[in-house]
Amino acid sequence: MEGRSMKKSIKGVIITSALLAGLFIGGYQSQHVSAKSYDKAVTKIAGNGNYAIYHRVSKGGPSGKFTSTKYFKHGQIQSKRYVSTKKGNFWDIYVDGRHVGWVSEKFFARNTISLAGSVSVVKNSDYGFPTRDAINYATDSHGTAVNPSKVSVSKAYVSTSSSTVDYSYGKAKASLNIDVRSGKGEMGEANLTPKSGFKSVTTWNGGSKSSSRNWNAAHHYTSETSSNTFRSNGLTLRTRLFQPRFVSLGYGQAGDAMGQVGVIPEGITVNSGIFTTSMFTSSNDQHGHLVSYNLNAIKSKYAAQNLTTMRWSTFRSYANNIKVSPYIKLGHGQSLGSSSSYIYVLANDNKYNNGPRSEEILQIRKSDMKINKIWTFRIAENRYIHNATFVGDNTMYALFHNGGYNNYEYWKLTRSGDSWTATEVGATKGRFVSNSPVQGFTYGNGNFFIGFNDHIFKVGENGTAKKHYRFNVRREIEGLSANGSNLYVQFAQRAELTQGRI
């Protein structure tokens, strides 16, 4: 906020006497316009309508219309100030980290709680489904996002009996019937003899040991301008997309947990040209954002890095082809999959070891990046899954590392209605990599691909060891995805999607 004179701060909102006296806002003088500014940006939630965006506002209202919200409603929207005019409140918005302009407050979803369309919980006295996990977003009277933890719920957990849960925040209210199914016949048994495995190897652990050429302080984390080619044992991975450091305002600029999108990727999925990755502000977070890029429209390997500096017309096109989910429960965020219409997330807790807890599957609409359905499931007694992938809308493959028996198990879960029935389909002896956790898991062309730092293993569906790909990238693998004859691998620092033939 421009202006030197400051009167007082109320609940994080700063009212400046300079603006009240009449400063230029966007170029026109605004006599006695009531203006409010925030120390840091708040997160705004788009509603359903399309509204004009303006260069300027004054006491009488906005002027200088130059574009429409239809290009930006699925982006990450933030704002640091708004003004009250004769035509209502107008907010000065940033989209995906770039300043855009002034828009009517009517554009935002106000006093709204958006919930998953349905939730089906498998009966389990040892696990209660956290009812706030069903929240897509909640907003106040200005359309500003509210942390899900601040939403009041009539029942915090559901475990053994169906319940209607009421949600409220201020004037915003919503209800959701959470169904509890018996789960009878859904769990399977681990009874397959493991196939012979790979010779165990070691790798580095504890975070990336290198970076892309410019992702470092010496180069000021500037954009990459040349692509990479990584080869091993017949697999060639080439750069497909360097991603933005942030798809929002950057470090320290967001005033709420929902605002910053980046800088830590955890998982990926690619289907029908839509590439989706999970993004967190901290590796310890259980909530974060999904970011989807339409690769059918984003042809450049490099341009997406420069959302804040590219030409306006290019940015408008890119913003229209990049979608950001609300701040939602993603668990570890490493286990993703997708169909033509939906993104799937196994929202697990990667720090929880084997035990009786259920796990959550989220079905998220590609159209608006909101949760459509949630299921909880269990594959077997004492089997908690840390890695999974999805094939279509009704099939999930899961990887379980059985440390006690020194093998990996492969499970197939098939959905019928709301039931997920588990069957063990294969197993492989050994640890593959002795000192690193799994960094990615996917299924394609009848094979599983299991990623570790600088290592990828190809395994048949029944557990037969086939190929070992060894690289020397020294950047963490952050997710694998198979789509048709293509294998996609994401590397960290800078987030880089690579593509190869399998």
Side-chain angles (χ1 to χ4, degrees):
M1 174 66 68
E2 296 178 358
R4 298 178 182 177
S5 178
M6 182 181 298
K7 284 292 185 184
K8 60 182 177 178
S9 177
I10 304 175
K11 294 183 180 179
V13 178
I14 301 168
I15 304 175
T16 62
S17 60
L19 273 174
L20 292 173
L23 255 180
F24 286 89
I25 301 180
Y28 279 2
Q29 191 174 18
S30 55
Q31 295 294 334
H32 307 295
V33 172
S34 175
K36 294 185 179 181
S37 172
Y38 296 84
D39 292 321
K40 295 182 179 181
V42 295
T43 302
K44 309 297 290 182
I45 302 295
N48 295 322
N50 290 320
Y51 290 82
I53 299 178
Y54 301 88
H55 283 303
R56 300 170 291 274
V57 289
S58 67
K59 179 180 178 181
S63 60
K65 174 184 174 181
F66 68 101
T67 190
S68 165
T69 59
K70 68 181 181 180
Y71 302 105
F72 310 109
K73 59 185 178 181
H74 296 307
Q76 179 68 352
I77 305 172
Q78 297 169 278
S79 182
K80 295 182 179 179
R81 60 178 179 169
Y82 75 91
V83 297
S84 296
T85 76
K86 290 182 178 180
K87 295 185 178 180
N89 293 334
F90 284 80
W91 290 76
D92 188 21
I93 62 170
Y94 294 76
V95 179
D96 299 342
R98 179 166 178 152
H99 182 250
V100 174
W102 296 89
V103 67
S104 170
E105 186 172 276
K106 296 176 182 178
F107 167 55
F108 306 120
R110 293 161 291 158
N111 293 320
T112 301
I113 297 175
S114 171
L115 303 174
S118 66
V119 177
S120 177
V121 174
V122 66
K123 188 175 182 178
N124 184 356
S125 60
D126 293 312
Y127 174 79
F129 169 74
T131 57
R132 288 184 179 85
D133 288 2
I135 298 174
N136 280 304
Y137 60 78
T139 63
D140 65 12
S141 59
H142 293 291
T144 298
V146 174
N147 195 302
S149 65
K150 296 182 179 180
V151 175
S152 296
V153 293
S154 60
K155 191 170 186 177
Y157 298 93
V158 172
S159 59
T160 58
S161 60
S162 298
S163 302
T164 297
V165 180
D166 298 320
Y167 299 76
S168 64
Y169 180 86
K171 295 181 179 179
K173 300 183 186 303
S175 295
L176 176 65
N177 181 61
I178 297 179
D179 178 64
V180 175
R181 64 186 193 277
S182 70
K184 184 178 180 179
E186 292 186 34
M187 289 197 296
E189 294 184 5
N191 52 17
L192 296 181
T193 301
K195 304 286 187 182
S196 297
F198 301 91
K199 181 180 178 181
S200 182
V201 297
T202 60
T203 188
W204 47 269
N205 200 358
S208 296
K209 302 303 178 184
S210 185
S211 70
S212 57
R213 295 172 183 85
N214 295 331
W215 185 270
N216 48 65
H219 293 87
H220 307 289
Y221 301 95
T222 54
S223 299
E224 304 298 336
T225 57
S226 58
S227 59
N228 291 309
T229 300
F230 308 118
R231 293 186 174 92
S232 176
N233 199 16
L235 175 62
T236 301
L237 301 173
R238 293 185 172 88
T239 304
R240 174 57 188 90
L241 182 72
F242 283 111
Q243 293 146 61
R245 192 179 187 194
F246 299 100
V247 193
S248 67
L249 292 170
Y251 284 128
Q253 297 187 64
D256 53 53
M258 296 82 71
Q260 183 176 307
V261 183
V263 65
I264 300 172
E266 286 291 353
I268 66 169
T269 178
V270 182
N271 186 285
S272 303
I274 304 299
F275 158 53
T276 304
T277 183
S278 56
M279 297 294 291
F280 298 84
T281 60
S282 165
S283 58
N284 295 319
D285 288 343
Q286 291 277 307
H287 282 69
H289 300 84
L290 296 175
V291 183
S292 284
Y293 299 84
N294 182 357
L295 299 180
N296 300 309
I298 298 175
K299 305 292 187 181
S300 170
K301 300 176 183 178
Y302 314 106
Q305 301 170 95
N306 306 311
L307 294 176
T308 61
T309 57
M310 60 176 48
R311 292 178 56 183
W312 169 254
S313 59
T314 306
F315 172 73
R316 188 176 65 179
S317 174
Y318 269 62
N320 198 34
N321 286 286
I322 299 174
K323 294 182 179 181
V324 182
S325 79
Y327 179 76
I328 56 175
K329 167 74 172 289
L330 295 175
H332 186 45
Q334 190 180 87
S335 298
L336 307 183
S338 54
S339 65
S340 58
S341 299
Y342 297 102
I343 301 160
Y344 291 87
V345 181
L346 176 67
N348 67 318
D349 181 352
N350 67 314
K351 295 182 180 180
Y352 178 74
N353 293 321
N354 299 338
R357 284 172 50 176
S358 302
E359 302 190 63
E360 296 177 33
I361 297 172
L362 277 59
Q363 182 191 67
I364 295 163
R365 297 185 294 267
K366 284 185 174 180
S367 58
D368 61 8
M369 303 296 285
K370 296 172 188 173
I371 303 169
N372 189 54
K373 293 184 177 182
I374 299 177
W375 301 272
T376 71
F377 73 98
R378 294 178 68 193
I379 66 165
E381 295 288 349
N382 201 35
R383 293 288 191 275
Y384 189 87
I385 298 301
H386 286 179
N387 301 94
T389 189
F390 295 80
V391 180
D393 293 305
N394 303 308
T395 303
M396 179 177 79
Y397 285 102
L399 175 69
F400 176 75
H401 180 218
N402 192 330
Y405 290 93
N406 194 36
N407 65 36
Y408 283 94
E409 299 169 2
Y410 313 98
W411 292 77
K412 182 177 182 179
L413 287 90
T414 304
R415 181 169 71 91
S416 177
D418 286 325
S419 298
W420 290 84
T421 303
T423 305
E424 187 186 19
V425 295
T428 311
K429 291 180 182 178
R431 295 186 63 185
F432 295 21
V433 177
S434 63
N435 64 333
S436 173
V438 173
Q439 296 287 95
F441 174 69
T442 192
Y443 175 87
N445 290 347
N447 297 294
F448 297 112
F449 295 85
I450 307 168
F452 301 80
N453 291 335
D454 270 348
H455 296 269
I456 298 174
F457 297 86
K458 180 180 179 181
V459 181
E461 186 170 337
N462 66 355
T464 301
K466 291 188 174 180
K467 270 193 173 185
H468 175 199
Y469 308 100
R470 185 193 301 261
F471 299 92
N472 189 33
V473 182
R474 295 184 64 77
R475 292 156 57 194
E476 283 188 275
I477 287 179
E478 298 289 8
L480 308 178
S481 180
N483 186 231
S485 58
N486 291 306
L487 178 67
Y488 295 89
V489 182
Q490 176 156 265
F491 294 97
Q493 298 187 181
R494 159 183 309 260
E496 176 185 2
L497 180 69
T498 64
Q499 178 179 348
R501 304 284 288 184
I502 54 175

